Amino acid sequence: MKQLKDLDLSLELDKKMYKKKLKVLQYEMLNAQQFLFNNKIGLILAFEGMDAAGKGGAIKRLTERIDPRGLVVHPISAPQPHELRYHYMHRFWRKLPQHGQIAIFDRSWYGRVLVERIEKFATEDEWKRAYEEINNFEAQLTDGDYIMMKFWIHIDSEEQLKRFNDRAEDPYKSWKLTDEDWRNREKFDLYSEAADEMFAKTDTEDAPWHLISGNNKFHARVQVLKEIIEHIEKEATRRGLQMTNVFETQQAAEEEVVATIELPVNTKERKKSKKRKQVKK
């Protein structure tokens, strides 16, 4: 069973190696996107984690090099008044990607068993019932033409405090820090407990949770990309497909076409060739 206490938060990646790995993985992610598009398979990625854990940074590097036409990122906040008139899953059904496209949820339907549970926005019966509702929702999608992955990026309390203070002092990042973030920090342990229960009840083979050590941002960003690519390859095999490199295949085909074309010889070359033949005679 996956639990936060089992994460090794000391994992690190130096900047030089980070840049090398990131470049390779971003290329592989672009190829994976083309594979999904060509086979009309939708990819749904849900990101959860502690405040300032690095979800936004991981999403930025994930999407940096892929085709923006086949991608949408949904930043999820508290439901709007008109959304409260529906079942809480309604707004997420409306944001699902087309087959062959990618949808990323920065926060997700798991708010029902996290913030809504802890802040008592949902009754105990509602958030306990939500585990089965969420599993059914995800099963309907993964039984069809969707691949789904869920990420929890985790940092410890000390690292979170450091990042909060850094944000407060940086005019370009201060907007990220709110009074609500400081209040949530006081409930760090409650969120950890709720997360562990969430993993236990919603980690399934077809819609797995991936727990990412986030104290080192470089490690977290690379690990997210790596696990996405590996899971897409696994799901391709399960569907009887093979995820080949689209770009290398295209290049090889183009080179083959060029090789079959008889290039015209210019006039001067013809004359030189004719003279050489006459000399030989």
Side-chain angles (χ1 to χ4, degrees), residues 105-145:
F105 291 85
D106 185 354
R107 301 293 187 186
S108 68
W109 43 94
Y110 282 96
R112 174 56 58 113
V113 296
L114 292 169
V115 63
E116 292 185 31
R117 165 185 174 173
I118 292 170
E119 300 296 339
K120 302 189 185 305
F121 296 142
T123 66
E124 185 173 354
D125 286 341
E126 286 175 331
W127 64 257
K128 283 187 174 180
R129 185 172 66 241
Y131 295 121
E132 183 177 0
E133 293 171 341
I134 288 171
N135 284 335
N136 290 336
F137 164 68
E138 294 176 351
Q140 289 180 65
L141 299 175
T142 55
D143 285 346
D145 295 318

Side-chain angles (χ1 to χ4, degrees), residues 168-186:
E169 296 171 3
D170 187 341
Y172 292 103
K173 294 183 179 180
S174 59
W175 60 270
K176 292 184 176 183
L177 193 61
T178 66
D179 292 339
E180 185 177 348
D181 292 331
W182 288 108
R183 287 196 301 272
N184 288 342
R185 179 170 160 71
E186 297 174 1

Side-chain angles (χ1 to χ4, degrees), residues 1-7 148-152 154 191-212 227 231 234:
M1 186 172 65
K2 297 172 182 175
Q3 290 187 314
L4 294 178
K5 66 180 179 63
D6 296 328
L7 269 177
M148 181 175 292
M149 299 177 70
K150 292 114 59 171
F151 288 92
W152 179 279
H154 195 60
Y191 275 97
S192 297
E193 292 173 10
D196 281 339
E197 184 173 353
M198 177 179 72
F199 305 144
K201 294 187 176 181
T202 62
D203 181 41
T204 62
E205 183 177 357
D206 293 334
W209 274 105
H210 296 261
L211 278 55
I212 305 295
E227 297 202 14
H231 190 69
K234 175 186 172 184

Side-chain angles (χ1 to χ4, degrees), residues 63-80:
T63 61
E64 201 167 29
R65 303 293 183 185
I66 62 177
D67 186 348
R69 296 171 298 178
L71 165 76
V72 61
V73 178
H74 299 292
I76 302 300
S77 56
Q80 298 299 312

Side-chain angles (χ1 to χ4, degrees), residues 24 40-41 46 66 72 85-86 101 103 123 128 134 144 200 207 222 235 256 259:
V24 172
K40 296 297 179 285
I41 300 172
I66 62 177
V72 61
R85 299 199 297 264
Y86 300 93
Q101 296 192 340
T123 66
K128 283 187 174 180
I134 288 171
V222 164
E235 284 296 303
E256 185 177 348

Side-chain angles (χ1 to χ4, degrees), residues 200-246:
K201 294 187 176 181
T202 62
D203 181 41
T204 62
E205 183 177 357
D206 293 334
W209 274 105
H210 296 261
L211 278 55
I212 305 295
S213 171
N215 272 12
N216 181 270
K217 292 181 179 181
F218 295 157
H219 165 78
R221 294 165 185 172
V222 164
Q223 194 64 25
V224 166
L225 271 163
K226 182 180 177 182
E227 297 202 14
I228 291 173
I229 294 164
E230 287 178 352
H231 190 69
I232 293 174
E233 290 174 342
K234 175 186 172 184
E235 284 296 303
T237 302
R238 188 175 70 84
R239 288 168 164 79
L241 302 170
Q242 184 176 2
M243 196 171 80
T244 57
N245 190 308
V246 175

